Amino acid sequence: MNSLTFLRGSSSWMKTTITLLSLATLTACGGGGGGGDSSSDSSGLSDSGYATEQAVLQPVSTNTVAKPANRQEAARFLTQATFGPTDESINRLMSIGYSAWLQEQFASKSARTYVSYWDKRTAALKIERRNAGAIATSTEINHAFWAKAVADKDQLRQRVAFALSEIFVISMQEGCAASNTRGTSSYMDMLGQKAFGTYRDLLESVTLHPIMGCYLSHLRNQKENPATGRVPDENFAREIMQLFSIGLVQLNPDGTPKLDTSGRPLETYGPTDVSGLAKVFTGWSFSCPDWPQDGCFLWGMKGTNPNYNPLKWISPMRPYAKYHSTSEKRFLGTVIPPQSTPDPAGSLKVALDTIANHPNVGPFIGKQLIQRLVTSNPSPAYVKRVASVFNASKGSLQATVVAILMDPEARDMTKVNDPSFGKVREPLLRLSAVLRAYQATSQTGDYLLWSTHDPATGLGQAPLQSPSVFNFFRPGYTAPNSFTSGEGLVAPELQIVHESSAAGYVNTLVGALTYGLGAKGYTNTSSTPDVRFNYQINPSNPLFNMSPEALVEDANQRLMYGTLPEYLRTEIVNAVKSVYVGSKTKQTAEDAAETRRRRVMTAVLLVAASPEFQVQK
Amino acid sequence: MKSFTQNPSRRLFLRQAASFSALGTAAPFAMNLAALGSAAAQTTSDYKALVCVFLSGGNDAYNTVLATDSASWSSYNAVRNLGGESIALNSSQVLPLNPVNALPRGRTMGLHPQLTGLQTLFNQHRRLAIVGNVGPLVEPVTKDEYMRQARRLPSKLFSHNDQQATWQAMAPEGVSKGWGGRLADLMAADNGNSLFTGISVGGNAVWVTGQTVKQYQLAPGKVPRFGVYANADGVDRIYGSAEAGEALKRIGSAYRAGNPFESDLREVGRRSIAAERVLSTALPSETQAPFGPSTQLLYRRPDGVTEINPLAQQLQMVARSIAARGSLGMKRQVFFVNLGGFDTHDGQMAKHAVLMARLSHAMAYFDTVIQSLGMGNNVTTFTASDFGRTFTSNGDGSDHGWGAHHFVMGGAVQGGTLVGELPVYGTKQANSNQFDGSPDQIANGAMLPKVSVDQYASVLGRWFGASSGALQTIFPNLANFSAPTNFLG
């Protein structure tokens, strides 16, 4: 167990699998990973937010440090594990190898948090706008997302947090998350902090986050009243099962559905499970200095004083016994007996333990994380390997992420030529990869990108702007009448690819490569957009001295780890060569410089706009 | 084949008789309808469009169309008005409806206070019908049979995504062909440009996709060009180069065998470029009458604030597309628009009022524009939603239900009618939310549908021109219901 090898060259995949399982065991034995701490949170009594991190993987001693065989392998790994490879990150991974790189990432935590940025900008906005009531909004959450994606070092943590935000969805398309953006900021911070802990702990933090409570309406949810006919709100009870844990149908460990004798999928729960579980999520509301007074339960404030409780949207919800159902609660084969004294924390612990221990969780959550990071159509064996690590590690997300990224199916370089492998890059990850590959920086340091939500003028996707709790796209989406569906492949990200968003993506690239991206400073009064590529600010960028052939090969390496097909190389090289400014016979120095600039933009645009880039392989 | 208009059992809420008189001569149109009804001949010389207005999240039908007779209101108020954050509307503010024919058993009905536009369409213009208690069904089911699990039921009831798919495509999530697209399949050959047969302005929707018809997705406002720009010479360029401009379009759109994900992206690119090329000249400007000026898209929120109505924006694009039917060569089209936010588990009264205001304003705006285009009898607009909601209150909202009432709008519609029935409202029992007093309500008072989506949709499909045989194929469960479209009898 002390010797751990993630990878032994690129040939011995069996060896890799065995060592991954030993990592999982190690994690489970390591003391922090068992989820045993989670119940201590269930009282919700802490106002300290989500600062504690659990389940830190114990340091691993390694006799052999597996390293990527070449820069292409490194870049491909970093495409799966980060917001896009950079020269720097490739160098680091090449130098220290997978195991050490993962350990480094697990330990890494950026000083920049969503909440700290929200606070900083709120203070500044009051001055900039001469308005004491000014506060940060969804605009600033967008900034923080891009700052972390493009610039911060804790890339794996943020990449996984983003994936989690697409499973445990809240959305600023609706009131709660849009109106209380400090709370929304803290939700994103929470996902980052819990990304490498246990699933059980994450599930509890998600459940008790007041923004989730507001979004799925279990905040302030009250017990039933047989006299009036009032019933508990079923919203969260339904969605925690359908979307956050087990799904609608029973799964085999490899993620395939279990079937009844007539070949129909077996459902995991029915309406009575929903109504039974709904009672658990009664009697939870704001954390509040006056807890458990009614004013706290109902409004998180005292009297009508809105300034009384500034922490209410960022502190875990707390139990209010008075509003908790005491009747019997039946769900998923578990029975919580009638309570003589209402015990919301006790009910919650039983419910979350029951859900987290359901055999569906490993394949259900594991497969979705594979889809977010690596491939849309993992083999059942891949899902099974990941689910078994999930189970053996008692739901350690850290061990699960390692299992996903270091799986033979993920690391096998020959998969780049397998047409059923890979996934369409979602628009945000396309743009982040381009920004990182070409060393985009922010003048303010705060990455003031505009929202990319609009499909015709943006990307048709912006962080935390999904239309509903069902995310931008569904894990089982198949595009009707499509090539992928003809091959029996799901393609979740194609759900937001359409005639308008396809043009919107290319147009966004054209604009970004020409001018940069985002507001012109905090007050939009500077001369240039805040985020620009290095070649837009550095006249001696080496790109300007490259031939068309070299520019295209450089883009091939930066964006596609060497997978650019020859036909496309020829096409793009010819297009780059066709770009020419000025007189054909006597080009001025200025025109020559402009030609070089446009050729850089053309090479990057045509590679990044290509379907070959848009599919992560 | 006998014209279905002569068959009382098939008398639909679509106003064929009125259409005859409007045309002056009944016979040719009747023959035309008969021709449309046969699978062999679906050639059309006219134009028809179906427009699906999807209310995402599950609209609370109980607060949309209200039973206002005293017995019903008494039950409604007892169940929904719990004091505090009641989810019962105030009876004095409900908008009364005057149906063409009195409702059975002395019942009366009204609309949510924000549905003023729809009230006018129903009471005065008679261009709006209400279909009561529609929902997905496999076969008819009584409450007793439901309780005993004695009948086949649609799978994954109460689940948003699955019931959205079931409404749109007769099966849970994962189904690949919707009934709008399949109806359009039958007629697509008559269209001059197949690209525009099925259009969604409301995001990805399986309803629009058929066997051959693929949805074309438009965003409201301008149709974006794929990267390139053109100077006065009309040549597409990128960074000054026409060759690079052509390369961009080839890379993004030219078919290549190989990776299927890439092939799908190229196909979308191809459609994007082809559609924009046509639409950029064919679509009338959004600012010109009758589509604009843009102030027409403003609606008044219940709190008095005036803002852009996102549903009206989408319907404006539909209307512009319909106006361009001539230059696009379109004869039959299906359109999908979408208004979200109906999952009113909490804060329902305020949230739902905003949504009702949007729905009413957008439908009335669209009807006015469509009539200005002279297409008032050629476009039928209808609502759909994930499901209805519970009758009971969870304090300040309602939960996922099943059956719901829906609106159908247009000149072909038997306006001012209630098709089907409003459910019998059960009175609340002590310690039970099973509503034993109502044959139409199940646990928590959710409506047990009496009209199946197949029936509802088949009526629309028949108007659109589908034959009985085609309807039986598209809606295989239609045969399980005793009389075709018996909800209209």
Side-chain angles (χ1 to χ4, degrees):
Chain A
M1 187 176 292
N2 288 333
S3 152
L4 185 77
T5 308
F6 286 123
L7 268 181
R8 186 185 293 280
S10 55
S11 55
S12 179
W13 299 118
M14 181 63 77
K15 174 76 176 172
T16 307
T17 307
I18 292 164
T19 53
L20 284 171
L21 290 174
S22 48
L23 170 70
T25 313
L26 178 73
T27 309
C29 301
D37 290 341
S38 53
S39 60
S40 65
D41 271 3
S42 61
S43 68
L45 291 175
S46 165
D47 263 356
S48 62
Y50 299 89
T52 53
E53 171 153 351
Q54 297 171 19
V56 174
L57 192 69
Q58 296 299 300
V60 179
S61 66
T62 52
N63 294 334
T64 312
V65 179
K67 293 178 178 175
N70 49 47
R71 294 183 73 81
Q72 288 75 30
E73 280 195 22
R76 180 166 174 267
F77 174 88
L78 292 166
T79 298
Q80 296 167 348
T82 73
F83 285 98
T86 63
D87 275 347
E88 187 188 353
S89 65
I90 292 171
N91 291 341
R92 184 69 184 161
L93 176 59
M94 294 292 292
S95 152
I96 65 175
Y98 292 111
S99 176
W101 187 88
L102 287 165
Q103 295 303 330
E104 192 169 86
Q105 286 292 308
F106 292 143
S108 173
K109 199 181 285 183
S110 166
R112 179 186 352 234
T113 65
Y114 281 84
V115 169
S116 67
Y117 182 67
W118 192 98
D119 289 347
K120 174 183 119 171
R121 287 302 302 150
T122 293
L125 285 167
K126 293 180 193 310
I127 298 163
E128 286 165 14
R129 297 183 183 165
R130 295 188 183 84
N131 176 358
I135 57 168
T137 65
S138 61
T139 302
E140 281 71 27
I141 290 181
N142 201 56
H143 298 166
F145 170 83
W146 285 107
K148 290 179 155 297
V150 178
D152 282 0
K153 300 296 181 202
D154 56 346
Q155 283 280 304
L156 180 61
R157 181 184 298 279
Q158 294 307 324
R159 183 71 186 77
V160 172
F162 175 57
L164 294 173
S165 81
E166 298 194 308
I167 298 172
F168 304 92
V169 174
I170 60 169
S171 172
M172 295 188 289
Q173 290 290 298
E174 286 189 35
C176 300
S179 311
N180 305 292
T181 47
R182 191 163 189 261
T184 304
S185 301
S186 92
Y187 187 84
M188 282 305 289
D189 285 335
M190 181 273 289
L191 292 182
Q193 283 153 7
K194 302 292 181 179
F196 301 140
T198 65
Y199 169 80
R200 171 67 175 78
D201 187 41
L202 173 69
L203 188 67
E204 181 160 324
S205 297
V206 164
T207 299
L208 293 182
H209 198 286
I211 295 291
M212 179 58 82
C214 182
Y215 185 57
L216 291 185
S217 60
H218 54 299
L219 178 96
R220 306 193 313 170
N221 188 15
Q222 297 183 31
K223 65 184 174 186
E224 71 276 14
N225 183 339
T228 65
R230 179 193 182 116
V231 292
D233 188 319
E234 296 182 346
N235 199 10
F236 188 74
R238 185 183 303 279
E239 308 307 2
I240 190 179
M241 291 194 289
Q242 182 171 351
L243 300 173
F244 300 166
S245 60
I246 63 175
L248 289 173
V249 300
Q250 296 180 33
L251 301 175
N252 295 307
D254 65 4
T256 57
K258 285 185 183 169
L259 306 176
D260 66 14
T261 49
S262 50
R264 284 175 307 220
L266 291 162
E267 302 201 343
T268 42
Y269 59 87
T272 54
D273 295 293
V274 175
S275 53
L277 185 59
K279 296 180 191 173
V280 171
F281 302 111
T282 54
W284 292 91
S285 189
F286 296 110
S287 179
C288 200
D290 253 6
W291 177 85
Q293 297 302 309
D294 278 359
C296 290
F297 180 82
L298 293 172
W299 312 112
M301 60 174 85
K302 192 172 198 171
T304 56
N305 179 3
N307 299 320
Y308 166 70
N309 184 14
L311 299 177
K312 75 176 189 179
W313 289 111
I314 69 167
S315 305
M317 294 194 289
R318 294 177 75 175
Y320 290 74
K322 173 180 172 186
Y323 296 103
H324 184 66
S325 171
T326 55
S327 61
E328 182 184 81
K329 306 169 184 75
R330 283 177 183 268
F331 48 88
L332 302 174
T334 293
V335 181
I336 298 175
Q339 294 166 347
S340 52
T341 307
D343 182 11
S347 300
L348 185 75
K349 182 177 188 314
V350 173
L352 296 185
D353 285 347
T354 300
I355 293 169
N357 288 327
H358 192 288
N360 265 33
V361 176
F364 186 80
I365 296 295
K367 183 175 179 181
Q368 287 190 68
L369 286 172
I370 293 171
Q371 289 184 307
R372 299 280 56 78
L373 302 178
V374 177
T375 182
S376 295
N377 296 274
S379 71
Y382 184 6
V383 175
K384 190 173 182 177
R385 290 191 291 271
V386 169
S388 69
V389 168
F390 180 92
N391 291 335
S393 67
K394 296 193 176 4
S396 162
L397 295 170
Q398 182 169 314
T400 302
V401 166
V402 173
I404 289 167
L405 292 173
M406 299 315 300
D407 191 88
E409 197 160 318
R411 295 278 51 78
D412 183 354
M413 275 302 268
T414 66
K415 285 283 182 188
V416 300
N417 297 315
D418 176 351
S420 68
F421 182 82
K423 65 187 187 107
V424 175
R425 296 181 199 237
E426 56 195 289
L428 290 172
L429 295 179
R430 295 178 209 162
L431 183 60
S432 71
V434 176
L435 288 169
R436 285 173 60 80
Y438 286 89
Q439 300 155 295
T441 51
S442 159
Q443 263 174 299
T444 61
D446 286 331
Y447 292 82
L448 311 178
L449 267 70
W450 303 118
S451 170
T452 50
H453 180 67
D454 187 89
T457 60
L459 300 175
Q461 186 189 28
L464 297 177
Q465 298 275 8
S466 145
S468 77
V469 73
F470 289 79
N471 195 27
F472 305 98
F473 38 76
R474 302 283 297 133
Y477 180 74
T478 55
N481 298 350
S482 64
F483 293 94
T484 43
S485 68
E487 302 285 328
L489 300 172
V490 305
E493 291 82 0
L494 284 182
Q495 196 169 345
I496 53 170
V497 170
H498 56 78
E499 293 84 357
S500 293
S501 69
Y505 167 61
V506 174
N507 293 337
T508 298
L509 285 177
V510 171
L513 294 169
T514 310
Y515 305 108
L517 278 168
K520 296 177 176 177
Y522 297 119
T523 54
N524 208 27
T525 51
S526 302
S527 57
T528 53
D530 183 57
V531 177
R532 288 186 293 164
F533 295 102
N534 183 273
Y535 71 81
Q536 292 170 328
I537 51 181
N538 174 13
S540 55
N541 187 299
L543 293 170
F544 294 128
N545 297 322
M546 289 185 188
S547 67
E549 290 81 358
L551 274 175
V552 175
E553 175 54 20
D554 181 74
N556 177 28
Q557 294 302 329
R558 286 178 195 261
L559 295 173
M560 297 178 63
Y561 32 93
T563 61
L564 187 76
E566 282 312 305
Y567 97 89
L568 189 54
R569 183 192 302 274
T570 306
E571 175 85 283
I572 298 176
V573 166
N574 288 339
V576 171
K577 285 178 177 170
S578 78
V579 172
Y580 189 89
V581 180
S583 162
K584 290 284 181 189
T585 51
K586 191 165 183 294
Q587 196 183 35
T588 66
E590 269 182 14
D591 285 345
E594 177 62 9
T595 299
R596 287 194 292 273
R597 190 179 76 91
R598 291 189 185 188
R599 286 183 170 185
V600 171
M601 298 190 297
T602 304
V604 181
L605 171 69
L606 293 184
V607 172
S610 73
E612 284 83 354
F613 165 75
Q614 292 185 53
V615 178
Q616 171 185 315
K617 301 183 186 82
Chain B
M1 178 184 164
K2 197 161 99 173
S3 167
F4 69 83
T5 60
Q6 293 161 12
N7 181 343
S9 74
R10 289 179 173 166
R11 182 166 295 281
L12 313 181
F13 57 84
L14 299 173
R15 189 194 286 160
Q16 282 90 26
S19 302
F20 295 164
S21 56
L23 284 171
T25 56
F29 191 56
M31 286 166 63
N32 191 21
L33 279 174
L36 287 180
S38 76
Q42 262 139 6
T43 306
T44 57
S45 56
D46 57 344
Y47 174 88
K48 283 184 182 174
L50 278 177
V51 182
C52 176
V53 177
F54 204 89
L55 312 176
S56 287
N59 179 37
D60 180 26
Y62 280 117
N63 273 8
T64 304
V65 179
L66 296 100
T68 51
D69 52 281
S70 60
S72 299
W73 193 268
S74 161
S75 297
Y76 167 86
N77 201 52
V79 172
R80 288 205 149 191
N81 188 357
L82 306 183
E85 296 177 64
S86 161
I87 61 164
L89 291 162
N90 185 329
S91 63
S92 68
Q93 290 171 349
V94 169
L95 307 175
L97 290 176
N98 303 315
V100 174
N101 300 309
L103 303 190
R105 294 189 289 282
R107 299 186 79 182
T108 57
M109 62 179 178
L111 291 177
H112 187 284
Q114 291 297 326
L115 294 176
T116 50
L118 294 186
Q119 183 195 30
T120 305
L121 279 159
F122 188 95
N123 285 347
Q124 270 103 60
H125 302 326
R126 298 298 196 197
R127 291 174 59 80
L128 184 80
I130 294 166
V131 183
N133 195 7
V134 195
L137 289 171
V138 177
E139 56 189 342
V141 54
T142 66
K143 182 173 180 178
D144 175 61
E145 289 165 341
Y146 173 77
M147 302 294 277
R148 290 189 289 112
Q149 303 184 334
R151 294 285 172 196
R152 290 173 293 166
L153 301 175
S155 62
K156 298 171 182 171
L157 287 169
F158 314 109
S159 157
H160 285 293
N161 54 331
D162 295 296
Q163 293 309 302
Q164 288 177 353
T166 302
W167 257 92
Q168 295 182 28
M170 309 311 173
E173 183 178 86
V175 61
S176 61
K177 295 177 196 64
W179 56 268
R182 295 186 70 184
L183 288 170
D185 279 342
L186 304 171
M187 323 287 172
D190 295 327
N191 287 337
N193 191 330
S194 62
L195 207 49
F196 304 116
T197 302
I199 294 180
S200 173
V201 197
N204 195 333
V206 69
W207 183 76
V208 188
T209 296
Q211 183 75 39
T212 57
V213 170
K214 293 182 75 165
Q215 65 173 324
Y216 170 65
Q217 288 195 55
L218 265 171
K222 292 218 181 327
V223 184
R225 286 197 103 189
F226 194 85
V228 296
Y229 64 93
N231 290 338
D233 61 8
V235 177
D236 289 340
R237 290 186 169 82
I238 273 294
Y239 301 133
S241 165
E243 282 179 52
E246 289 308 309
L248 174 65
K249 290 193 282 186
R250 272 196 304 274
I251 290 168
S253 70
Y255 172 76
R256 289 187 68 82
N259 185 297
F261 296 98
E262 293 172 7
S263 298
D264 284 341
L265 290 167
R266 290 191 191 96
E267 173 62 7
V268 173
R270 184 188 70 74
R271 291 159 57 85
S272 177
I273 293 166
E276 190 274 339
R277 187 178 295 140
V278 177
L279 290 179
S280 59
T281 53
L283 281 187
S285 159
E286 70 266 34
T287 56
Q288 100 188 24
F291 317 102
S294 60
T295 49
Q296 287 202 76
L297 300 182
L298 299 174
Y299 80 109
R300 192 177 165 80
R301 279 194 333 215
D303 63 4
V305 174
T306 299
E307 65 181 14
I308 292 272
N309 184 343
L311 184 61
Q313 280 183 303
Q314 294 175 43
L315 285 168
Q316 182 190 57
M317 186 52 109
V318 174
R320 290 166 67 203
S321 302
I322 290 172
R325 70 194 177 282
S327 54
L328 298 176
M330 306 310 289
K331 298 293 186 189
R332 285 288 187 281
Q333 286 179 288
V334 294
F335 294 94
F336 183 92
V337 295
N338 182 26
L339 181 62
F342 283 90
D343 196 21
T344 49
H345 288 277
D346 70 339
Q348 169 164 311
M349 295 304 276
K351 290 177 184 172
H352 196 241
V354 171
L355 297 172
M356 291 291 100
R358 289 179 179 179
L359 178 67
S360 183
H361 166 262
M363 297 266 287
Y365 160 78
F366 185 63
D367 191 61
T368 304
V369 175
I370 289 300
Q371 291 210 66
S372 301
L373 297 174
M375 289 284 104
N377 294 333
N378 304 64
V379 178
T380 297
T381 304
F382 66 96
T383 59
S385 187
D386 317 16
F387 35 63
R389 304 191 75 80
T390 56
F391 196 39
T392 53
S393 168
N394 64 30
D396 61 345
S398 54
D399 287 278
H400 300 186
W402 189 355
H405 314 311
H406 285 285
F407 297 109
V408 187
M409 178 178 79
V413 173
Q414 193 78 50
T417 61
L418 169 69
V419 181
E421 289 188 54
L422 303 179
V424 171
Y425 288 4
T427 48
K428 190 170 60 60
Q429 306 144 251
N431 300 318
S432 165
N433 280 333
Q434 295 300 319
F435 290 86
D436 291 345
S438 169
D440 305 326
Q441 290 176 307
I442 56 172
N444 289 339
M447 290 183 215
L448 182 65
K450 289 288 179 267
V451 175
S452 76
V453 173
D454 298 59
Q455 292 174 304
Y456 180 67
S458 69
V459 174
L460 297 161
R462 181 171 293 282
W463 172 79
F464 197 60
S467 67
S468 295
L471 293 174
Q472 295 285 347
T473 305
I474 297 172
F475 308 108
N477 288 331
L478 210 49
N480 298 341
F481 296 88
S482 54
T485 62
N486 61 355
F487 61 100
L488 301 169

